[in-house]
Amino acid sequence: MSLPAGPKTGLLLINLGTPDKPETPEVRRYLRQFLSDPRVVDLPAIPRWLLLNLIILPTRPARSAHAYRKIWTDRGSPLLFHSMDLREGVQRELGPDIPVALGMRYGNPSIESALTLLRRAGCSRVVVFPLYPQYASSSGGSSLEEVYRISARLWNVPNLSVVPPFFAHPAFIEAFRDVAAPVLQDFQPDHVLFSYHGVPERHVTRSDETGEHCLQSEACCATLGHANHGCYRAQCFATTRLIARALGLGEDKASLSFQSRLGRTPWIRPYTDEVLPELAKRGIKRLAVICPAFVADCLETLEEIGMRAREDYAAHGGELRLVPSLNSTPGWVRAVAQLAREAMAVPAPAALLRQVSEGASQQA
């Protein structure tokens, strides 16, 4: 008995996004979309609208556009072209039978356009790969919600599989080790700071469904368990421990902090902009900074750390070196392909049916 071919599988890579141009109108459009997301600014609708339209959008787009112009290249936004290069590398690694598309949660190319490309390529099964190592509701959660929202509107809803947060996956750890090791060997830093994007404290406490663990003690992120398995901060601590170990860094040679906080509400600590002068006061003259929340260099790595933080640290008498992100390095391309294959290894329903039918045919 001849059986129909199994469903064609596509891979959807998702990153956060970037403005189309480093100019105020485009940045305003991007920030409006980004900060209107209730998973990002988790306030009731009316206070969120007031905050966005009366406080943030009147002034922030021009400042952000100025910052974007500092990192813009002939190829455009670093986040976008590194992500496009990654997509092309993963496509080569996986081969032509598994189409790979790139979608941005905010801006272009959109998640909807990427899903459309995969549908036109005949993919009835999609492996969704949010390119955020650690889970946060404001990044991975929001991206998955958008995928589900778009897919739910389709008449033929695709079979979706999701690559889980990979903050401790050996392939991710090894890829960052391979990028960082040559820089550290060349720079010979006195200390290595792991700087992650921050989130409000309330995002962390909401992730603790027991309500009894997260931010209840200074050691709450020392280990991962049932209460904090979805805690962004705890996952950042786990990533730091693993990369530091892979690089052979002792406990006194590495530390962790959180950057990019916004507003007056408490964000997870310690804050990068407060840690830097403290390290300088301790006599750390040569400081390397690794940013393992970002798999592609972007505004937060290149401008916030590689420019502003470096200048601030120089003003305190030290030298700061930013370790590049994974971007589209060969090790990261292989790691993404490996993680995708692992997600694809879970058989889709039609594949299960085919296996059962083949087994029945063999027995007959």
Side-chain angles (χ1 to χ4, degrees):
M1 179 179 66
S2 63
L3 294 169
K8 188 172 184 179
T9 297
L11 176 63
L12 171 61
L13 303 177
I14 302 176
N15 215 323
L16 201 66
T18 180
D20 293 329
K21 295 180 181 179
E23 304 300 335
T24 300
E26 286 78 11
V27 173
R28 180 181 290 109
R29 187 182 310 118
Y30 171 76
L31 289 177
R32 182 181 296 280
Q33 184 185 13
F34 176 38
L35 298 175
S36 294
D37 188 337
R39 286 184 179 267
V40 175
V41 181
D42 56 331
L43 296 173
I46 293 177
R48 185 172 63 250
W49 188 93
L50 293 172
L51 174 66
L52 181 61
N53 290 280
L54 300 184
I55 297 176
I56 297 176
L57 290 182
T59 58
R60 188 176 180 88
R63 295 200 307 269
S64 294
H66 176 71
Y68 273 109
R69 284 193 288 271
K70 293 180 182 179
I71 67 166
W72 218 257
T73 73
D74 292 341
R75 295 188 64 192
S77 165
L79 174 65
L80 180 57
F81 73 71
H82 285 311
S83 298
M84 293 173 65
D85 290 347
L86 175 68
R87 189 210 67 79
E88 292 175 5
V90 174
Q91 183 68 82
R92 288 193 297 270
E93 190 76 15
L94 294 177
D97 292 338
I98 302 174
V100 182
L102 171 68
M104 296 293 182
R105 175 60 185 91
Y106 315 104
N108 296 304
S110 67
I111 290 175
E112 185 166 18
S113 69
L115 283 170
T116 298
L117 286 174
L118 294 177
R119 287 173 58 214
R120 289 175 178 170
C123 299
S124 57
R125 183 188 182 200
V126 175
V127 172
V128 183
F129 195 151
L131 292 169
Y132 320 111
Q134 304 80 21
Y135 174 81
S137 179
S138 54
S139 54
S142 176
S143 295
L144 290 176
E145 182 179 10
E146 180 72 357
V147 171
Y148 299 145
R149 183 188 68 81
I150 295 167
S151 299
R153 298 201 314 258
L154 301 174
W155 186 260
N156 295 325
V157 177
N159 178 8
L160 301 174
S161 303
V162 177
V163 176
F166 48 92
F167 61 94
H169 196 286
F172 167 68
I173 301 300
E174 291 169 8
F176 243 117
R177 178 203 62 195
D178 292 346
V179 168
V183 179
L184 302 188
Q185 178 64 32
D186 174 68
F187 185 52
Q188 292 294 307
D190 302 318
H191 192 82
V192 177
L193 178 66
F194 291 79
S195 182
Y196 296 81
H197 198 289
V199 297
E201 286 185 353
R202 64 182 180 272
H203 287 202
V204 166
T205 55
R206 289 182 67 179
S207 72
D208 177 7
E209 296 180 359
T210 71
E212 299 175 351
H213 182 85
C214 287
L215 303 183
Q216 297 297 308
S217 70
E218 291 187 3
C220 63
C221 293
T223 58
L224 279 169
H226 168 69
N228 67 348
H229 73 278
C231 173
Y232 173 77
R233 187 174 186 268
Q235 292 179 11
C236 292
F237 271 80
T239 298
T240 298
R241 289 191 294 268
L242 291 169
I243 297 179
R245 186 183 307 160
L247 290 169
L249 300 172
E251 291 186 3
D252 61 331
K253 289 290 187 179
S255 57
L256 170 153
S257 62
F258 298 92
Q259 63 187 80
S260 310
R261 70 185 188 274
L262 174 68
R264 299 179 180 179
T265 59
W267 283 45
I268 52 177
R269 296 175 183 269
Y271 300 146
T272 297
D273 60 349
E274 294 181 356
V275 166
L276 291 175
E278 293 172 0
L279 291 173
K281 290 178 183 177
R282 283 172 43 191
I284 304 296
K285 295 296 184 183
R286 300 170 69 82
L287 177 67
V289 181
I290 301 175
C291 300
F294 307 94
V295 299
D297 277 315
C298 55
L299 189 71
E300 287 81 359
T301 63
L302 297 172
E303 194 273 338
E304 186 175 355
I305 299 299
M307 295 179 184
R308 279 190 285 145
R310 179 172 59 84
E311 293 173 0
D312 292 344
Y313 206 68
H316 287 88
E319 183 180 358
L320 185 153
R321 176 82 62 88
L322 171 66
V323 174
S325 191
L326 298 173
N327 296 323
S328 59
T329 54
W332 178 227
V333 168
R334 291 192 297 271
V336 170
Q338 178 182 339
L339 285 158
R341 288 190 184 105
E342 290 173 3
M344 293 173 190
V346 180
L352 286 171
L353 177 62
R354 186 166 63 254
Q355 291 174 7
V356 171
S357 300
E358 289 171 351
S361 298
Q362 292 172 359
Q363 290 177 359

